Amino acid sequence: MGLLFSRSWGKLGLIALLSMQMLYLAPRPAWAEADSPLSPTTDTSPFGIAHIAYGSDLPNDQRYNLAASAGARWNRWALYWNEVEIAPGVFDFSAIDRTVQADSSHGFGSNVVLMGTPHFYATAGSFSAPSPRIDTRGWPPPQIEEGPTTLSACSSTTSAPSSLFLPIFADSTDYFVPGKQVNGSNPWARFVNTTVSRYRDQVKYWEMWNEPDFAFFWMCGTSDPQVRVQTYARLLKVGYLAAKSADPEAKVLLGGMMYWEWANRTGQQQAWLKAFLDQLEKDSARMANNYYFDIIPWHWYSRSSDIYWRVRAAEVLLKERGILGKKMWVNESNAPACGEPPNNAPCEGRQWNSGTATLEEQAAFVIQAFAWGLAAGLDRLFIFQLYDDGNSSSYGLIRNDGTARPAYAAYKVASSYLNGATSASRRAVGDAEVVEVWATPSGEPRRRLTVAWSRTSQPIQVEIDAISTSAKLVNQDGGWITVTSSNGKYLIALPAATNNRSFDLNTSNDFIIGGKPKILVEYPSTDTGAPTSRLGFTTLVAIGSWVNISWSATDQGWGIESYDVQYQIVAPDAQWQFWLSATKQTSAIFFGAPNTSYRFRVRARDQAGNVESWPTDDKAGTVRFLASDAIYRVLLPNMLKSANGSW
């Protein structure tokens, strides 16, 4: 934050703060990170399922109808390059045409993964080794890791394509201009550009490979993990620029991350992402090209809370690197069921079944996943997958014989009640996990949903502050009862958590999935009173170029939904300008110009949509930014003298 006058600092604290300020003396424009609440419209629905349909041999109508009935609106599937480019420069998109058309005609958005190097562009691996596919996942995952893996076990389709480091564009540069012709001698650039051009009116979301942090899918057998990162960074850059050249409106996803291979090897959280961002730092054109991705997706299995905590940790890492505004997706998530076909593995014996779930636990995972995801601010979340298909484990919401697992009903519960979410937050209440969601589904009144579950081996009760006298209490199978509040509270009984099949066999108290969740659905009584907001200061004097601005509000009705914050330069005829709009933050960093004063004002919006009036100018807070060299000329000796009497 900016420095404020105070007599309570000692020398060391003052020097430390001044040292921090020296890093920020250059003036910057005012900015902030605007929150992006989920839109209630269908085209931005967060509900997806992987592999609803792929290929011409599937009964597409039946599968799409089942997915639509569950509430899904997105389909993730892989477009295998090695199956499309049948000879150098010769493409057969006939099977892909059918899948794209099926998505479109059934009203589904497409998340298409581009992957799989054709054998004539392969640079390593075996032509005879089976090509890894993202719709046939085993459990546990294949144990192909970094290092001198036997090359005969590694498919050539995982290798980096040849000529990847040749110029991206036909003018022998990597300089991007929309519509620019790609270099035909760079096979990956040509393939991406050709594919995106073909489907630009139907597909907007393109993912560059699958799990590039997992050797099973990317550069299997390569002994140096840093080479894998470096080469993937190039693959992403080429793919991003080739896609944007074909369709400037295309959205490019980083390859969805498996996470654990690097984390387990290095003992560091976010290890691959850190290495990848380090590699990007070497590219001088990265900022001009949006860091070569629009969306960052993750794959979280077995432990539902990873969807919240690890995604939030990644957001912090991106912010530390100055990378803002990236959408977060989880486009694979589930807990494979034990005691089920095709492998019928018993649910007893944790050494055999770490990470698996009973049918009821799998259903609990689905609802918890969406609750965690909304609280984390995810833009999309995909459950893996609709049917078991060719998997050796039971991921499907639907068995291959066509019968539905309880997870299918749980998905329908999540999509039915959590659709139209506009804000969400989580909190721990004793041994309960509680996620509060405000939603305005299309054509329905606004409502508050409280999703709660036990985190321990004991059944518990949790108190929820009521905003209504009665509510609907929904179970994970869709059954519900009407409950009434008492003394302004609901008392909800939550079943015990039962899934302690963690990957740490030394503990039995690690519950990777909470107990069966309950959803409290409230339609609040009328709230017509506007909230009251206030700034956290009246006047501030800032040394350097930035200061932390804070604010808060109170509301006698449904609670605070968001804030608008404006600033105004203190000068004749200066106008108020928006700094933050509909933000859920209660503080942010403001960058100002030296020798300039600014006024600030805030207004709050409550969950009922009531917005308070802007305060009058005399109620505004003021910040004065001093000249950057004033630290040396005036302030430093004076502040040191006032704090301690001498230097």
Side-chain angles (χ1 to χ4, degrees):
M1 65 182 66
L3 299 186
L4 312 180
F5 289 117
S6 172
R7 293 179 178 271
S8 62
W9 292 338
K11 289 181 182 177
L12 293 178
L14 177 60
I15 292 170
L17 287 169
L18 288 171
S19 298
M20 287 182 5
Q21 280 289 316
M22 300 303 168
L23 299 174
Y24 297 96
L25 293 179
R28 302 186 190 182
W31 64 271
E33 306 151 39
D35 289 327
S36 300
L38 294 172
S39 166
T41 57
T42 300
D43 62 340
T44 56
S45 166
F47 299 100
I49 296 178
H51 302 292
I52 294 171
Y54 175 71
S56 60
D57 58 336
L58 299 175
N60 288 345
D61 286 343
Q62 175 186 348
R63 293 172 69 110
Y64 280 107
N65 290 340
L66 282 167
S69 179
R73 293 296 179 266
W74 291 88
N75 182 20
R76 180 180 186 257
W77 49 275
L79 193 164
Y80 296 100
W81 180 15
N82 54 299
E83 296 178 0
V84 165
E85 190 165 354
I86 57 178
V90 180
F91 298 89
D92 178 5
F93 286 101
S94 56
I96 306 304
D97 289 345
R98 289 190 289 271
T99 304
V100 170
Q101 180 57 35
D103 276 0
S104 179
S105 63
H106 289 88
F108 281 77
S110 304
N111 168 194
V112 181
V113 187
L114 303 179
M115 61 182 293
T117 303
H119 68 87
F120 38 82
Y121 298 136
T123 55
S126 169
F127 298 155
S128 61
S131 175
R133 300 181 63 87
I134 67 175
D135 54 337
T136 52
R137 178 181 293 274
W139 192 263
Q143 297 301 304
I144 294 179
E145 300 195 359
E146 299 157 340
T149 303
T150 303
L151 288 178
S152 61
C154 295
S155 171
S156 61
T157 60
T158 72
S159 71
S162 61
S163 304
L164 182 62
F165 287 85
L166 289 182
I168 300 170
F169 296 108
D171 62 359
S172 299
T173 74
D174 287 352
Y175 182 74
F176 170 72
V177 175
K180 197 174 184 181
Q181 183 178 355
V182 298
N183 178 11
S185 297
N186 187 321
W188 174 248
R190 181 180 60 195
F191 162 67
V192 172
N193 187 264
T194 299
T195 304
V196 175
S197 294
R198 184 180 185 89
Y199 301 114
R200 59 175 291 165
D201 294 331
Q202 298 159 294
V203 178
K204 292 298 180 184
Y205 294 89
W206 301 97
E207 188 173 346
M208 299 299 155
W209 222 267
N210 180 67
E211 298 184 355
D213 58 337
F214 185 18
F216 180 68
F217 284 106
W218 175 244
M219 296 183 69
C220 172
T222 300
S223 59
D224 186 347
Q226 294 302 322
V227 171
R228 290 174 57 209
V229 175
Q230 176 188 9
T231 310
Y232 179 75
R234 177 62 182 178
L235 182 99
L236 178 67
K237 177 176 181 175
V238 175
Y240 178 91
L241 296 180
K244 295 286 186 176
S245 180
D247 179 10
E249 296 180 355
K251 301 299 182 184
V252 173
L253 284 72
L254 192 72
M257 284 171 279
M258 175 262 205
Y259 185 87
W260 291 107
E261 183 177 270
W262 277 64
N264 291 340
R265 178 179 60 83
T266 65
Q268 295 183 10
Q269 302 301 310
Q270 309 293 341
W272 186 88
L273 183 58
K274 290 176 182 176
F276 169 74
L277 296 178
D278 288 343
Q279 184 63 39
L280 280 189
E281 289 292 327
K282 302 174 184 178
D283 187 330
S284 60
R286 67 191 183 282
M287 296 177 69
N289 291 294
N290 198 35
Y291 292 87
Y292 306 112
F293 66 95
D294 302 298
I295 298 163
I296 180 167
W298 302 87
H299 299 167
W300 299 119
Y301 286 89
S302 299
R303 186 184 295 275
S304 61
S305 61
D306 282 344
I307 294 169
Y308 181 84
W309 293 111
R310 298 193 188 280
V311 168
R312 295 297 295 269
E315 289 178 330
V316 171
L317 177 59
L318 291 175
K319 289 177 182 178
E320 289 173 349
R321 302 296 184 100
I323 303 175
L324 307 174
K326 300 299 183 185
K327 298 287 188 182
M328 293 283 189
W329 289 19
V330 170
N331 56 10
E332 283 188 25
S333 190
N334 204 345
C338 54
E340 280 286 293
N343 60 11
N344 295 296
C347 293
E348 296 74 22
R350 290 173 59 234
Q351 68 272 26
W352 303 107
N353 296 300
S354 295
T356 63
T358 66
L359 290 177
E360 293 302 316
E361 291 164 353
Q362 186 185 52
F365 179 97
V366 169
I367 293 176
Q368 291 171 27
F370 280 107
W372 281 121
L374 290 173
L378 289 182
D379 196 49
R380 306 274 189 275
L381 189 144
F382 293 66
I383 294 297
F384 183 95
Q385 56 188 15
L386 185 62
Y387 278 73
D388 289 333
D389 290 335
N391 282 293
S392 60
S393 295
S394 310
Y395 288 97
L397 300 176
I398 309 290
R399 300 179 184 90
N400 284 342
D401 65 6
T403 58
R405 292 192 171 100
Y408 180 83
Y411 191 107
K412 183 177 290 190
V413 168
S415 66
S416 297
Y417 289 100
L418 301 179
N419 73 91
T422 57
S423 65
S425 60
R426 56 80 50 186
R427 65 186 186 275
V429 180
D431 289 329
E433 191 66 43
V434 177
V435 176
E436 180 180 293
V437 180
W438 282 90
T440 309
S442 179
E444 298 183 35
R446 190 156 175 77
R447 60 195 184 192
R448 188 181 78 168
L449 306 110
T450 305
V451 190
W453 60 88
S454 172
R455 294 184 281 112
T456 73
S457 60
Q458 299 299 316
I460 60 175
Q461 291 185 320
V462 62
E463 281 190 342
I464 305 297
D465 290 334
I467 58 172
S468 63
T469 57
S470 66
K472 178 188 290 188
L473 186 64
V474 183
N475 297 321
Q476 69 180 30
D477 63 2
W480 61 274
I481 60 173
T482 298
V483 293
T484 57
S485 60
S486 176
N487 297 320
K489 296 182 183 297
Y490 291 100
L491 188 62
I492 309 301
L494 301 175
T498 56
N499 190 325
N500 61 350
R501 298 181 202 86
S502 73
F503 290 92
D504 182 358
L505 300 180
N506 296 315
T507 178
S508 60
N509 295 316
D510 182 10
F511 291 90
I512 60 176
I513 301 172
K516 293 180 181 180
K518 302 287 184 72
I519 303 178
L520 185 72
V521 185
E522 296 177 271
Y523 293 90
S525 56
T526 302
D527 176 5
T528 59
T532 302
S533 64
R534 66 197 63 82
L535 289 165
F537 64 95
T538 302
T539 59
L540 297 176
V541 178
I543 301 171
S545 61
W546 61 280
V547 68
N548 188 55
I549 304 296
S550 63
W551 54 89
S552 62
T554 57
D555 184 64
Q556 299 302 313
W558 299 359
I560 303 301
E561 199 276 334
S562 63
Y563 300 88
D564 299 324
V565 188
Q566 290 186 331
Y567 71 95
Q568 176 193 63
I569 295 175
V570 180
D573 301 321
Q575 301 297 310
W576 285 102
Q577 302 182 55
F578 272 93
W579 175 35
L580 299 171
S581 296
T583 182
K584 301 182 190 310
Q585 301 175 161
T586 55
S587 67
I589 300 298
F590 182 89
F591 289 92
N595 284 322
T596 304
S597 295
Y598 299 84
R599 292 190 186 95
F600 291 85
R601 65 183 186 181
V602 61
R603 68 180 182 185
R605 179 180 296 101
D606 67 18
Q607 295 288 358
N610 301 308
V611 183
E612 70 174 320
S613 300
W614 287 111
T616 56
D617 286 1
D618 62 313
K619 300 292 181 63
T622 303
V623 177
R624 180 188 173 198
F625 286 85
L626 299 178
S628 58
D629 62 353
I631 296 173
Y632 298 104
R633 291 189 294 103
V634 178
L635 291 175
L636 184 58
N638 288 345
M639 292 173 71
L640 289 171
K641 184 176 180 179
S642 66
N644 293 294
S646 63
W647 174 242

